[in-house]
Every structure is written in C-alpha cells, then in structure tokens.
Amino acid sequence: MRNKNSAPTMKDVALEAGVALGTVSKVINGLPVGESYRIRVEEAIKKLNYQVNSYAQGLKSSRTYTIALLIPNTLNPFFSKLAYQINLSLLKRKYRMLLCCTDSDPGLEQEYITMAQQNKVDGIIGLTYNPDLHIMENIPYISIDRTMGSHIPCIASDNFAGGQMAAEKLADLGCKNVAFLRVGSSLTNEPNKRKAGFENGCLARDLQYTSKILEDGYSLNEFEIFLTEHMHNGKLDFDGLFCVTDLIAYEVLKMLKKLNIKVPEDVQVIGFDGIRMFGDGDYICSTIVQPVQDIAEMCVELLLQENMTAKPPLVCLPVSYMYGGTTKESAERQD
Amino acid sequence: MRNKNSAPTMKDVALEAGVALGTVSKVINGLPVGESYRIRVEEAIKKLNYQVNSYAQGLKSSRTYTIALLIPNTLNPFFSKLAYQINLSLLKRKYRMLLCCTDSDPGLEQEYITMAQQNKVDGIIGLTYNPDLHIMENIPYISIDRTMGSHIPCIASDNFAGGQMAAEKLADLGCKNVAFLRVGSSLTNEPNKRKAGFENGCLARDLQYTSKILEDGYSLNEFEIFLTEHMHNGKLDFDGLFCVTDLIAYEVLKMLKKLNIKVPEDVQVIGFDGIRMFGDGDYICSTIVQPVQDIAEMCVELLLQENMTAKPPLVCLPVSYMYGGTTKESAERQD
C-alpha cells in the first residue's frame, strides 16, 4: 500500500490503473497506446493527484542530459567567463555542455536549434547577434542579453540600473560634467539600456552630460576626435567619462594618455562588464560588474526547470560597482 | 561490375565474398559472425585490396561525432583561446565539442574518460594537471602540454626553442646580464623546457644569467624581494628579464613600476604565451607567442586520423616573438 503522506509515484499510478509501468510512461510521454489504457492512466493520475514535476524527473525517455551553449566566441573575456560559469552550473547538475562558438558561421546556430528539435540536446542557452534566428515554440531555449519574444526567457544584467549606478558614482566622486561614450548596435538588446539608465542618473543628480554614440563599424578613433574637440587649453571639458564597455574604457584610457590627461586626477573613467586581467586578476578599470555567475546559474535553473507553466520573459540581475584604479578611491558623497 | 579504376567499396567486398553487406560490416567492426563468413570476407578484402581507410569512413557504427575537451577552465586567456580554436577546428569537420572545465572537480576527468570508453564520445582532447589520471590504451586521447606515456600523443609549443628565442632576443636587444623568473611545477610537463632553452640560449650568446625559481604555492612577492636584493644605488643589476608566463611578466611589471625601474629603458622584459587584451587586442608585454591555432588544429587532426598505425608521441609546434612594449622596439643585432 502506498504511504498516503508521500507524493505518488509512477508505480502508484500503474497500480491504480491496473496497467504496466511502461504504459504509464507512454501515456505521460504522449506515445501511442490503446485508448482504453490511456483513459485508465489519465484517471489514475487525476485521482492520485500525480504531479507534473514527477513526470519530468524520471520519465522523459529521450533525455540526453546535454545542453548546447551558443556563444559568439570564448576569446572575449566576458564570453569566456560566461561559458565557464554555465559549464560549472551544468556539471554541478550532472549535465554535459556542447560548446558552439558561432561567430565564424551563423548557420551553425540554426543547426543546433534543429538538434534541439530532434531531441539530440535537451535545450539551448544562446547569446546571439543573429536577428533572423528562428526558434520554435516547443524548444527549451534561454536567451542572454537579447529578448526574442515572450516565449523565450531572456537573462541579462540590470543594465539600466548599471548605467544609473555609473552616473551616481561619478556624482558621488565629485564630477560635475560627464560624457557617455558608446558604440551603438542596431539590434534591440538589453545592454542598450545602459544609456537610458545613465541619463536618468545624471538628471537625478544634476550632472551635466554629453553623449557620443558611434554607429556599429565606426572606428574608435572617432572618440579621440570627440575628446580633442572637448579640450580647451590642454584641459578636458569633462571630469568624468562613462564608457559602455570595459573594452571601450581601455581604448579611451590609451587616448587620454596620448592627450596627456591624467586619470583619475583630471578625469575619472568608469567602464561596464567587470573584465579582469587573466580572468581573475586586476580589474582593467573602475567598472560596473556584470554578475556572470548569477546569470549562468539563472540560465541553467530556468532552462532545466520543467514545472513552470509560465517562465519569466525577462530577468535582470543586480550589478555592482568595483574600483579599478581609474576613479578616485575614497568616495565622498556630494549630496 | 566494379570499375577497376576506382577504390573498392564495402559493397564490392560483399559481392566478392558472396555475403550480405551487414556481414562485411560486422567482420570489419569485429562483431561476432560465423567463422566461415569471416574467412570469406577477409579473403575478399585481401583480394580486392580494400583499404583500411574506407573502414574508418563509413562503418564504425557507434560514431557520435562528438569530442570532449577537458580543460581546467576558460577563464585563463590561454585556455579560453585554446577552447575557441579547438571548437572551430571540430565544427569545421562537423564534429561537436563537449566542454568540461575540470578545475572544480578532478573526478570529472575520469568520468569523461569512462564516457569515451563507453563510446559516448569518439575521443578526448585533454589539458590536465591530474597526475593520477588513468587513460586506457584503446581510448582516442590527445594530451596538451603533458606527456602521458608513449601511447598518447602530446601536442605542445616548442617550449625549448621558445626559451632559447627569449635569450637570443634579449641578447639581440643589447642585454648583458639577464634573469629568468619562474614558478615551478612539480609535474613533468612540456612548459618546463622553457628554462633549459633559455639557459642554452644564454650560454650560446655569452649572456650572464641568474634564475629565480619559486616553488608552486609560493607568493609572487618573492620576486619583488629577489629584484630588491639585486638593486644597487636605485639601479637593477639586470638589463633583461625572461618571465616564464605573461601572467608573471604582468605582475613583475607592476613590481618594477613600484621600484621606479623603467621598462624598457632600464630593463627589458619578455614573457611567454602571447596573451592579448580582450582576446585579440594589445599584447600585454613583449612575448614568445604560443601557436594556439596550430596546436588546436594538430590536436583535432591527430585525434580524428584513424588510419595511422603509429601516432607521434610528441609534437612541438613553432613559437614566435612578438613586440608588446616591454622591449626596445628596433632591434640591432649585437653579434
């Protein structure tokens, strides 16, 4: 007899329906089975209140315990850290990870999605810049940094809050006149919100601000021209710069050096991402750090969570500020 | 009738032997089949001179087209570039890659080797620091940077030549008295040869040299003490330093800055690895560059090459020198 206090198992359902265990499995997995058997199993499931979550645990016969990660490359330190953390999160749960670096061949993305459709992988975590990517409704897919429709959860840093945090930090550190430097992307993606957050923060803190946005494909040298145009008598008009990525901050720091402008004495610089030397060493600049480990864990958690009938369409995870030598170290709040 | 000018196919063997195609396949794959059938198939193979390479192409029924990469992590830029290049080399050949970052759990390595044994993956490329790892003879395995017995090919940079190149470069750039800075590893691995190569180069070029070797686990601060001990009247005794990795070079450059020693004016510094900012940007220091793309391609090439009866036990691939701001740019040979 079944212990009434424990959750019913598939075996309980089989006993109740008077059918073999395999028949219950077939019904649950939607495989063909005689109509009278199907009805008996469904009635037993209803009567015992057999939970969907039990189905997921042991029954899906085609489970591969393999997840594919689609990512442009693992050269960029943000991507390589993401790949590392997602790998750890999956291995912790005894899942294997197929890595697919996609930047060399956009067709690869669709190929891996087809694999998911054919149940050769259980699901996909994707960070893609391909606007034409078609993801079928029934494929477990988690997107990073880009919303792809309400049926696909998107996980990202709280980019808006990060932009706002950068503005507030510069204000706290005594800046009065700041600039935002960004390379634009034509794609709608979450990192685009950094600009709106920054402007919001500047307005809230009465910070005067200027934006310099380069279109995709423009040379970063444009920033040097912009900075030179904003110099008078060897001094930069700005006392604070927010660069939309650490990569841009790094390039801008080289330009400032050439222009003989001292960091952080003359101008303070904040980047975004939290890139560290050699993966886990020094920060390259003062920066808004993306919570890569939390992003990875949330992607895996949501992807493998089969009991949710409604998955959240957008999850924004909290960022943090980290000193990295390009701002004044001891902050005195000005307000 | 078979065209005599084309290579014989499995079908030709079946016709010649008077057996079904499946029987030929079984014989080739070593599966049980009646003795008389086996003999007929083997005779037909011999008569037609049916090539082993044809076996490999289409017959191994358990082929998964999946290779596992075991690597400590993808945080370290050398590892992340290696993972990227191996991934590209595999995808180019329509192979999938399981990524397994092993540093969090050494038991994982053995688990993936078991997968290979059970034909769940076709082979393994491994960069491991686990001295107890047991790899069975029959498993296709390629090792990076560490020799693991003659049955397992090891692919590495030509570390000896790289050490020698560093010494010669410092001599070419006018150095007279140099030092070698290294953190030791107790494992026998290929990168250990950098020291011997460097010493060899110093002897060949009449360069005076000193070595400072830290045991695994020692603090890098020991290098700062070493450098301070070799300073007289605010000047360093050495005019050249060879650091065994770019990571150590990076830390040493910070120490030299603290000690008010100018690079490259007072002392020139060469690292090893070829690490670049953001994966493909500036070199961190002047460096001996590991040919990561060639290493990746060779690993994949040798792993998937099933027709070789003897695989090379050790392959050393040529390195190159790259200027990265910590040596004098225009070299005048001194000899």
Side-chain angles (χ1 to χ4, degrees):
Chain A
M1 281 300 290
R2 183 167 82 78
N3 177 348
K4 292 279 175 194
N5 294 322
S6 66
T9 65
M10 187 166 72
K11 209 171 156 186
D12 298 325
V13 174
L15 279 172
E16 177 70 32
V19 301
L21 207 57
T23 308
V24 180
S25 170
K26 279 180 183 165
V27 171
I28 285 164
N29 285 296
L31 297 173
V33 64
E35 183 67 5
S36 66
Y37 285 101
R38 193 178 57 71
I39 290 168
R40 274 154 69 187
V41 170
E42 284 175 351
E43 280 175 354
I45 284 173
K46 212 170 165 183
K47 182 170 171 197
L48 296 178
N49 194 25
Y50 181 62
Q51 290 301 309
V52 179
N53 105 343
S54 311
Y55 302 359
Q57 292 309 315
L59 290 180
K60 203 177 163 191
S61 53
S62 60
R63 189 80 62 98
T64 62
Y65 293 97
T66 305
I67 298 298
L69 174 65
L70 305 182
I71 202 159
N73 59 66
T74 59
L75 285 178
N76 174 299
F78 175 65
F79 296 153
S80 66
K81 187 166 187 183
L82 206 47
Y84 173 67
Q85 293 292 355
I86 290 173
N87 194 232
L88 291 195
S89 290
L90 287 169
L91 290 171
K92 206 169 69 181
R93 292 170 174 83
K94 303 282 176 199
Y95 268 76
R96 292 179 286 266
M97 183 180 101
L98 284 175
L99 176 67
C100 178
C101 292
T102 57
D103 61 351
S104 58
D105 181 358
L108 273 173
E109 295 176 333
Q110 207 65 60
E111 199 178 293
Y112 275 74
I113 287 165
T114 304
M115 279 175 61
Q117 210 181 3
Q118 297 168 342
N119 292 322
K120 289 179 184 166
V121 296
D122 294 351
I124 293 178
I125 298 171
L127 195 166
T128 168
Y129 297 126
N130 174 2
D132 301 320
L133 195 63
H134 178 61
I135 299 160
M136 289 64 86
E137 287 265 352
N138 61 337
I139 290 177
Y141 190 104
I142 305 284
S143 170
I144 298 172
D145 269 0
R146 201 184 129 214
T147 50
M148 307 182 82
S150 59
H151 63 298
I152 294 173
C154 170
I155 318 291
S157 292
D158 190 339
N159 287 285
F160 185 91
Q164 185 159 337
M165 188 183 282
E168 287 169 355
K169 200 74 205 174
L170 289 173
D172 286 349
L173 291 166
C175 294
K176 304 288 179 205
N177 185 8
V178 300
F180 174 64
L181 304 182
R182 162 167 191 240
V183 175
S185 164
S186 48
L187 268 181
T188 310
N189 65 28
E190 285 303 307
N192 290 358
K193 295 182 184 168
R194 290 170 198 173
K195 177 176 186 286
F198 184 71
E199 292 175 344
N200 201 52
C202 288
L203 290 171
R205 297 297 293 272
D206 261 337
L207 258 181
Q208 200 180 326
Y209 72 88
T210 310
S211 293
K212 176 65 183 175
I213 317 253
L214 299 184
E215 294 302 311
D216 251 345
Y218 265 69
S219 159
L220 290 182
N221 290 338
E222 295 282 322
F223 285 136
E224 193 167 338
I225 295 167
F226 169 79
L227 292 171
T228 309
E229 285 172 354
H230 286 84
M231 282 184 72
H232 294 96
N233 307 319
K235 288 192 64 180
L236 191 66
D237 298 344
F238 310 114
D239 51 9
L241 297 177
F242 173 45
C243 300
V244 73
T245 63
D246 289 346
L247 170 59
I248 290 175
Y250 175 81
E251 294 297 332
V252 165
L253 287 168
K254 288 199 289 184
M255 295 168 192
L256 292 170
K257 198 173 180 182
K258 257 173 72 182
L259 296 171
N260 246 321
I261 296 166
K262 287 202 183 69
V263 176
E265 295 84 350
D266 301 336
V267 63
Q268 302 186 65
V269 177
I270 295 181
F272 203 112
D273 277 345
I275 304 294
R276 300 170 72 165
M277 291 298 297
F278 301 97
D280 57 1
D282 300 334
Y283 286 93
I284 285 162
C285 56
S286 296
T287 182
I288 306 299
V289 182
Q290 296 211 56
V292 179
Q293 191 174 346
D294 298 340
I295 292 174
E297 189 70 12
M298 184 59 69
C299 286
V300 171
E301 191 64 58
L302 281 181
L303 186 64
L304 300 184
Q305 192 57 260
E306 300 188 47
N307 302 337
M308 294 173 90
T309 43
K311 295 201 177 185
L314 175 62
V315 178
C316 295
L317 297 167
V319 296
S320 56
Y321 167 79
M322 192 59 72
Y323 169 75
T326 58
T327 46
K328 292 175 184 167
E329 199 159 359
S330 54
E332 235 94 67
R333 284 184 69 91
Q334 305 289 308
D335 53 353
Chain B
M1 282 299 292
R2 183 167 82 80
N3 178 349
K4 292 279 174 193
N5 294 321
S6 66
T9 65
M10 190 167 71
K11 207 170 158 186
D12 298 325
V13 174
L15 279 172
E16 177 70 32
V19 301
L21 206 60
T23 309
V24 179
S25 169
K26 279 181 183 166
V27 170
I28 285 165
N29 285 296
L31 297 174
V33 64
E35 183 66 5
S36 67
Y37 285 102
R38 194 179 56 73
I39 290 167
R40 276 153 67 187
V41 169
E42 284 174 353
E43 280 173 355
I45 285 174
K46 212 169 164 184
K47 183 170 170 197
L48 296 178
N49 194 24
Y50 181 63
Q51 290 301 307
V52 179
N53 105 343
S54 312
Y55 302 179
Q57 293 309 316
L59 289 179
K60 203 176 164 190
S61 52
S62 59
R63 189 78 62 95
T64 62
Y65 293 96
T66 305
I67 299 298
L69 174 65
L70 305 181
I71 201 159
N73 59 65
T74 59
L75 285 178
N76 175 299
F78 174 65
F79 296 154
S80 65
K81 188 167 185 181
L82 206 47
Y84 173 67
Q85 293 292 353
I86 290 173
N87 194 233
L88 291 196
S89 290
L90 286 169
L91 290 172
K92 206 169 68 181
R93 292 170 174 83
K94 303 280 175 200
Y95 268 76
R96 292 179 286 265
M97 183 180 102
L98 285 174
L99 176 67
C100 178
C101 293
T102 57
D103 62 352
S104 57
D105 182 358
L108 273 174
E109 295 176 332
Q110 207 65 59
E111 199 176 292
Y112 275 75
I113 287 165
T114 305
M115 278 175 61
Q117 209 180 3
Q118 298 168 343
N119 293 321
K120 289 179 186 166
V121 295
D122 293 352
I124 293 178
I125 298 171
L127 196 167
T128 168
Y129 298 126
N130 174 2
D132 301 322
L133 195 64
H134 178 61
I135 300 160
M136 290 64 87
E137 287 264 352
N138 62 337
I139 290 178
Y141 190 105
I142 304 284
S143 171
I144 298 172
D145 268 359
R146 201 183 130 214
T147 50
M148 307 182 82
S150 59
H151 63 298
I152 294 173
C154 170
I155 317 292
S157 292
D158 191 339
N159 287 284
F160 185 91
Q164 185 159 340
M165 188 183 283
E168 287 169 357
K169 201 72 205 176
L170 289 173
D172 286 349
L173 291 166
C175 295
K176 304 288 177 204
N177 185 9
V178 300
F180 174 65
L181 304 182
R182 167 171 185 235
V183 175
S185 164
S186 47
L187 270 181
T188 309
N189 65 29
E190 285 302 306
N192 290 358
K193 295 180 183 170
R194 291 172 196 173
K195 176 175 186 286
F198 184 71
E199 291 175 346
N200 201 53
C202 288
L203 291 171
R205 297 296 293 272
D206 262 337
L207 258 181
Q208 200 180 327
Y209 72 89
T210 310
S211 291
K212 176 66 183 174
I213 316 252
L214 299 184
E215 296 300 314
D216 251 345
Y218 265 70
S219 159
L220 289 183
N221 290 340
E222 295 281 322
F223 286 136
E224 192 167 340
I225 295 166
F226 170 79
L227 292 171
T228 309
E229 284 170 356
H230 286 83
M231 282 184 72
H232 295 95
N233 306 320
K235 288 193 64 181
L236 191 67
D237 298 345
F238 311 114
D239 51 9
L241 298 175
F242 173 44
C243 300
V244 75
T245 63
D246 289 346
L247 170 58
I248 291 175
Y250 174 80
E251 294 296 333
V252 164
L253 287 168
K254 288 198 288 184
M255 295 168 192
L256 292 170
K257 197 172 180 183
K258 256 173 74 181
L259 295 170
N260 246 320
I261 296 166
K262 286 203 184 68
V263 177
E265 295 84 351
D266 301 336
V267 62
Q268 302 186 65
V269 177
I270 294 181
F272 203 112
D273 277 345
I275 305 294
R276 299 170 73 166
M277 292 297 299
F278 302 97
D280 57 3
D282 300 334
Y283 286 93
I284 285 162
C285 56
S286 296
T287 182
I288 306 299
V289 182
Q290 297 211 54
V292 179
Q293 191 174 347
D294 298 342
I295 292 174
E297 188 70 12
M298 186 58 71
C299 286
V300 170
E301 191 64 58
L302 281 181
L303 186 65
L304 300 184
Q305 192 57 259
E306 301 186 47
N307 302 337
M308 294 174 89
T309 44
K311 293 200 179 186
L314 175 62
V315 177
C316 295
L317 296 167
V319 296
S320 55
Y321 166 80
M322 193 58 72
Y323 169 75
T326 58
T327 45
K328 291 175 184 168
E329 199 159 0
S330 55
E332 237 94 66
R333 283 183 68 91
Q334 306 287 310
D335 53 355

